[in-house]
Amino acid sequence: MLTIQLGQAGNQVGFEFLDCIWNNHERDSPTVDRFFRETKHGIVARTVYVDTEEKVVASVLRDAEKSGWAYHTKRGLVAKRGAGNNWANGFYQYGQKYSETILDIIRLELEATDVVEGFTIIQSVAGGTGSGLGASVVQALNDTFPSKSKLAMIVWPFTSGETVVQSYNSVMSISYAYQGCEGIVLLENDQFQQIAHKMMRLKTVSVKNLNKIIASQLLSVLSSSNQCSIENCSETSSVPLRLSHLLSSVCPHPEYKLLSVRSVPQMPPAFNAFTTYSWEPTLNTLRSMAIGGAHCSEGFNWRKKPALECSYGDLLAGRTFGASTYEPLPQEIMDNISVANMLFLHGKKRNLANVTGFLEPGMYCAWNSEPFSAFSSGCELQNHDISAGLISNEKRLYQPIDAMVSKGWKLFNKKAYLHQYTQFGMDEEEIMSHFVQSESIVRAYKSL
């Protein structure tokens, strides 16, 4: 797996994620091999890093060395001047200048890899580098490696606003990601800040705090795991989950590429020594979060339902079990319909994990015949005996995009800041086309 870090937040999140992998897995584990490789100079990440300013890159390079691994010094591109929070500057100026050089760097890293599983692209979209130059790199990747799987992980700005033109930058970025990637994980800063306050008990939340939470969530779904039996989650296949399988399972239709990530337990590290977890409440929590469209395991409308001892096929057929017949969830609480869910179980006694609560047809759109799969590993992540992650393609994901599109249209209709984009070669029709593309994404998810 080759990771591409784009822009300030992309590099910061990328470092925290790789460091999380490094600190939670044995050095000879499949997960470490997936994201790192050994050289004569030591362990280096299978990563290409890109930014238009030096400060953040210099910081993550130092931090990686302190942790015992490194970025390859010839696998990065750092310009001397930022893109000025301007997508057009990043795409048309920096993209035209550097995309081919970045592709050459990517080819060098691929030559050091026996089998290329695909690309994970971590980018920020509020500013100009991760959004504009990032879009150019995504386009170039798709043109050059069309058969390779590509998963974009987009750091989505705070609703309150990080830059005045973030709505323009974000809308154009999501438009290009939809064209160039098979799946797009939205990493919503608002959601992770809520976890930091409510679950991590942090009064003041730093960027590093947020990035560590994001990294721990990604760890739960991108650590190496094998598909497991629904009846016994400790029984697994011999083949680890590949990126192509993940994407084809959770994004089975080209109109639906948006993904969210959840993980439990969510607890301050200091609480671990005094807390015991078991599978039933852990999975009930995660399932309730998915139904309610929540990312934080506190402060949402709970609705627990006993897990069913049956298969998904049985549920679809409406078969009877014991003295009662399965009844679908009431539609009024099922606003957050999913296209697909993929569950990941990590840790001990996975044979005791009952995942049939995730099989309820009421959780899913009717047209997907195989909306759920489960994977497991014996690795204990984040010092938890048991933990679970869920990657979901769900209706709720239209909301952050819809809000950003609405804000962008308000600016556009007033012609606010358009000159900042047209000066780099964009015209108003091109900008409008990205808004139209984003609106089509919103409509598709609203229709679920």
Side-chain angles (χ1 to χ4, degrees), residues 152-171:
M153 295 184 277
I154 292 180
V155 181
W156 199 253
F158 287 103
T159 304
S160 57
E162 297 174 27
T163 65
V164 69
V165 291
Q166 69 178 28
S167 56
Y168 287 155
N169 297 336
S170 300
V171 166

Side-chain angles (χ1 to χ4, degrees), residues 86-140:
N86 189 314
W87 186 94
N89 188 12
F91 186 86
Y92 287 104
Q93 298 295 113
Y94 286 98
Q96 290 182 7
K97 185 175 182 180
Y98 293 120
S99 284
E100 196 56 44
T101 302
I102 294 168
L103 282 176
D104 288 340
I105 296 171
I106 290 170
R107 290 187 185 98
L108 284 174
E109 185 58 34
L110 293 179
E111 288 172 3
T113 305
D114 293 332
V115 179
V116 182
E117 186 177 346
F119 301 98
T120 52
I121 304 152
I122 308 176
Q123 62 185 124
S124 50
V125 295
T129 303
S131 66
L133 180 54
S136 180
V137 171
V138 166
Q139 184 183 60

